């Protein structure tokens, strides 16, 4: 079997055996949800409910406040008890959140839905927007914008991201095995919107069962591209190169080379919205790690506190551990949380609880390991140095803003230098100095 890939990358321990063979289970409904008004790229949504309001499952509780923004819906049927600003670890700032106490089983408020063939492209995009769908691979960019590129950008290829290269996480793998029919319906909807014929799905070869299954079930409709198991194989630009050998230009976007990339879970959410009328109020995620008693894959309502998920779905943390590190996501790109009451958001594909190991940083020895593994062809050691010296313009001139923050440099570094931490801060300061522009 010929495997496609990209230059650079690393091979961290996969650790997927903890949950890869465990089917997705539907979680019970939580008693309380905390729903952030910003769980998407762009401007936060504006709350349209207040304390005391009764809400239905799927009811709009937040409306977009800008061109790049998204609707937010109630994940449960109940009563709004508070609307207040809460620290959002994903975006590093306090944002409005709607706190809802569940009062009953679901009483749904659905979107217009039905046979997708009967809807026009514009109607399909409108439903996707009204459903609040964003990229579920982690980037959380509003999907209706991504599926409606400027007219001068001719899209001829749709790539479905089934790589799931992040260690530990297995929810996309299980989605492909268990919900491939629904995912294919989502793909057919997107094909109609984009008017494309070339459709590929990239899957790493550590998921051979998914490769074989989709080769059989999707034959003649979607081309399955086996990928070399390597991190970050699922990063957008690396995936495009591996599948099509097209290189997205520096500072460019996939549409600049005629490609749109969508995650498998996003395809499922599109099917749910168009066919069933359900807005994005729940998602699949992996609960995993050496510190959790019962790893697994779960279908969970957005806004559910991580503490509730750990206690009710994972049977709690293992006893006798002096320290536990909990991540929203996996160990490479996941965000550490310092408050276990933090709720999950739309882009949260996993909760990983690991036992941290103390690592002491030393000085850079110019070994060039970070340069060799960087999938973007950058010089992480130099970006780290320039960032620490606050020479942001120089860092930008050698590719600061092209860094995808995958963490390959930090992983491979023998001096244990946290390049990504410095680069993230440098990017944030550079954007601020330029008035928020990229």
């Amino acid at each position: 079997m010929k495997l496609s890939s990209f230059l650079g990358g690393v091979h961290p321990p996969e650790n997927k055996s903890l949950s890869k063979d465990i089917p997705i289970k539907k979680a019970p409904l939580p008693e309380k949800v905390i729903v952030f008004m910003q769980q998407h790229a762009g401007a936060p949504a504006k709350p349209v409910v207040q304390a005391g309001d009764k809400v239905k499952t799927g009811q709009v509780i937040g409306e977009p406040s800008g061109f790049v923004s998204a609707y937010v819906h109630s994940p449960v049927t109940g009563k709004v008890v508070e609307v207040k600003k809460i620290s959002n670890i994903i975006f590093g700032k306090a944002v409005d959140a709607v706190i809802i106490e569940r009062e009953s089983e679901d009483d749904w408020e659905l979107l217009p839905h039905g046979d997708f063939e009967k809807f026009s492209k514009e109607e399909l995009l409108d439903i996707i927007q009204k459903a609040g769908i964003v990229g579920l691979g982690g980037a959380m960019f509003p999907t209706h914008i991504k599926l409606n590129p400027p007219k001068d950008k001719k899209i001829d290829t749709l790539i479905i991201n089934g790589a799931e290269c992040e260690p530990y996480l297995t929810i996309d793998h299980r989605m492909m095995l268990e919900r491939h029919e629904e995912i294919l319906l989502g793909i057919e909807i997107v094909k109609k919107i984009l008017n494309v014929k070339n459709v590929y799905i990239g899957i790493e070869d550590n998921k051979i069962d998914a490769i074989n299954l989709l080769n059989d079930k999707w034959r003649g409709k979607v081309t399955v591209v086996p990928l070399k198991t390597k991190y970050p194989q699922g990063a957008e630009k690396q995936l495009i190169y591996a599948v099509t050998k097209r290189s997205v230009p520096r500072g460019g976007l996939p549409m600049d080379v005629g490609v749109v990339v969508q995650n498998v879970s996003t395809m499922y959410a599109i099917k749910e919205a168009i066919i069933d009328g359900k807005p994005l109020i729940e998602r699949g995620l992996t609960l995993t790690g050496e510190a959790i008693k019962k790893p697994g894959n779960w279908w969970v309502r957005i806004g559910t506190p991580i503490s509730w998920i750990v206690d009710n779905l994972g049977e709690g943390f293992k006893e006798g551990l002096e320290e536990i590190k909990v991540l929203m996501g996996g160990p490479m790109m996941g965000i550490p949380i310092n408050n276990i009451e933090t709720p999950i958001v739309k882009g949260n594909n996993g909760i990983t609880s690991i036992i941290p190991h103390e690592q002491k940083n030393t000085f850079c020895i110019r070994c060039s390991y970070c340069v060799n593994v960087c999938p973007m062809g950058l010089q992480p050691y130099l970006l780290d140095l320039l960032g620490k010296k606050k020479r942001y313009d120089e860092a930008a001139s050698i590719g600061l803003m092209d860094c995808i923050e995958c963490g390959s440099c930090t992983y491979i570094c023998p001096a244990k230098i946290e390049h990504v931490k410095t680069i993230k801060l440098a990017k944030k300061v550079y954007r601020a100095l330029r008035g928020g522009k990229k």
Side-chain angles (χ1 to χ4, degrees):
M1 180 171 59
K2 184 178 179 181
L3 300 177
S4 300
S5 193
F6 63 97
L7 294 175
V10 293
H11 297 82
E14 295 175 25
N15 293 320
K16 293 179 182 284
S17 60
L18 291 169
S19 59
K20 74 179 181 66
D21 297 321
I22 302 175
I24 304 169
K25 296 179 182 178
K26 192 172 182 66
L29 296 177
E31 287 73 38
K32 182 180 78 171
V33 291
I34 304 167
V35 188
F36 283 124
M37 291 295 101
Q38 180 155 30
Q39 43 186 307
H40 50 263
K46 179 182 177 182
V48 293
V49 292
Q50 57 188 1
D53 287 352
K54 301 281 188 173
V55 291
K56 295 181 177 181
T57 304
Q59 179 180 329
V60 172
I61 59 174
E63 294 183 342
S65 63
F67 175 70
V68 181
S69 190
Y71 283 90
V72 180
H73 304 78
S74 174
V76 296
T77 297
K79 180 181 179 180
V80 176
V81 294
E82 197 172 7
V83 179
K84 66 176 183 179
K85 289 193 181 294
I86 299 177
S87 178
N88 184 336
I89 192 71
I90 300 292
F91 291 94
K93 61 182 179 181
V95 299
D96 286 324
V98 176
I99 302 171
I100 305 169
E101 288 185 354
R102 184 173 65 85
E103 295 185 331
S104 68
E105 296 301 303
D106 289 325
D107 180 11
W108 280 91
E109 185 169 301
L110 298 175
L111 301 160
H113 60 283
D115 181 0
F116 77 90
E117 295 288 6
K118 296 179 180 178
F119 292 114
S120 66
K121 168 187 172 180
E122 290 72 24
E123 289 171 330
L124 292 172
L125 286 171
D126 184 63
I127 295 172
I128 290 169
Q129 179 180 10
K130 295 289 174 57
I133 297 175
V134 302
L136 298 184
M140 296 188 288
F141 190 82
T143 302
H144 69 280
I145 299 176
K146 199 171 185 180
L147 296 182
N148 192 26
K151 291 183 178 179
D152 62 326
K153 302 294 183 181
K154 301 301 180 184
I155 305 300
D156 59 34
T157 300
L158 170 65
I159 298 177
I160 308 303
N161 190 345
E164 197 166 47
C165 59
E166 183 78 34
Y168 287 93
L169 304 186
T170 58
I171 187 62
D172 285 347
H173 185 183
R174 296 309 312 178
M175 290 286 287
M176 289 185 285
L177 293 177
E178 299 177 40
R179 307 195 180 190
H180 52 87
E181 293 179 359
E182 294 91 337
I183 293 169
L184 183 58
L185 270 173
I187 292 171
E188 294 295 338
I189 293 167
V190 173
K191 280 177 64 178
K192 179 176 180 178
I193 293 171
L194 295 175
N195 190 28
V196 297
K197 294 182 179 179
N198 301 324
V199 184
Y200 304 90
I201 182 167
I203 309 174
E204 285 189 331
D205 68 332
N206 61 358
K207 306 171 188 66
I208 193 67
D209 50 356
I211 291 173
N212 292 336
L213 178 68
L214 298 189
N215 257 327
D216 178 43
K217 299 294 184 180
W218 292 2
R219 191 177 304 277
K221 297 177 181 178
V222 178
T223 301
V224 178
V225 181
L227 304 172
K228 184 177 181 181
T229 298
K230 181 170 64 168
Y231 179 86
Q233 190 70 259
E236 202 168 52
K237 294 179 180 180
Q238 284 64 43
L239 180 64
I240 291 170
Y241 180 80
V243 172
T244 68
K245 295 300 180 277
R246 301 178 190 179
S247 296
V248 178
R250 180 174 175 178
L253 296 169
M255 62 183 175
D256 294 326
V257 293
V259 177
V260 167
V261 179
Q262 293 286 344
N263 176 267
V264 290
S265 291
T266 311
M267 293 296 97
Y268 183 88
I270 288 173
K271 175 267 173 187
E272 287 266 280
I274 303 297
I275 307 297
D276 305 315
K278 293 183 178 181
L280 182 54
I281 55 97
E282 57 187 349
R283 67 154 301 147
L285 61 78
T286 302
L287 176 61
T288 186
E290 290 84 5
I292 199 79
K293 286 183 180 178
K294 186 181 177 182
N297 298 289
W298 293 91
W299 201 248
V300 185
R301 295 295 167 96
I302 289 160
T304 303
I306 290 175
S307 59
W308 187 95
I309 294 172
V310 169
D311 291 341
N312 290 274
L313 307 182
E315 298 183 357
F317 297 116
K318 293 178 180 177
E319 289 87 5
L321 299 176
E322 293 184 4
E323 189 178 356
I324 297 171
K325 188 174 185 179
V326 180
L327 303 159
M328 295 182 80
M332 295 299 287
M333 292 190 75
I335 299 173
I337 63 167
N338 55 14
N339 182 359
I340 199 69
E341 297 304 315
T342 299
I344 66 164
V345 296
K346 293 178 180 180
N348 198 175
N349 54 3
I351 299 167
T352 308
S353 57
I354 57 178
I355 303 167
H357 301 286
E358 185 178 355
Q359 295 181 331
K360 292 185 178 180
N361 296 355
T362 57
F363 295 106
C364 175
I365 58 173
R366 298 297 190 272
C367 65
S368 79
Y369 285 0
C370 63
V371 178
N372 293 336
V373 302
C374 178
M376 296 302 294
L378 304 176
Q379 301 176 73
Y381 77 94
L382 187 53
L383 291 174
D384 176 79
L385 177 64
L386 293 173
K388 287 174 178 173
K389 290 182 175 294
K390 301 181 180 180
R391 290 157 61 177
Y392 304 118
D393 286 330
E394 286 183 62
S397 71
I398 62 166
L400 172 68
M401 305 310 290
D402 291 322
C403 171
I404 62 174
E405 302 172 15
C406 68
S408 295
C409 50
T410 299
Y411 173 79
I412 204 69
C413 180
K416 307 303 179 187
I417 295 170
E418 297 184 77
H419 307 84
V420 176
K421 185 181 289 187
T422 304
I423 290 170
K424 278 185 176 181
L425 178 60
K427 288 167 76 172
K428 189 174 183 179
V429 174
Y430 182 69
R431 286 193 187 101
L433 292 173
R434 297 180 71 242
K437 297 180 181 179
K438 289 186 177 182

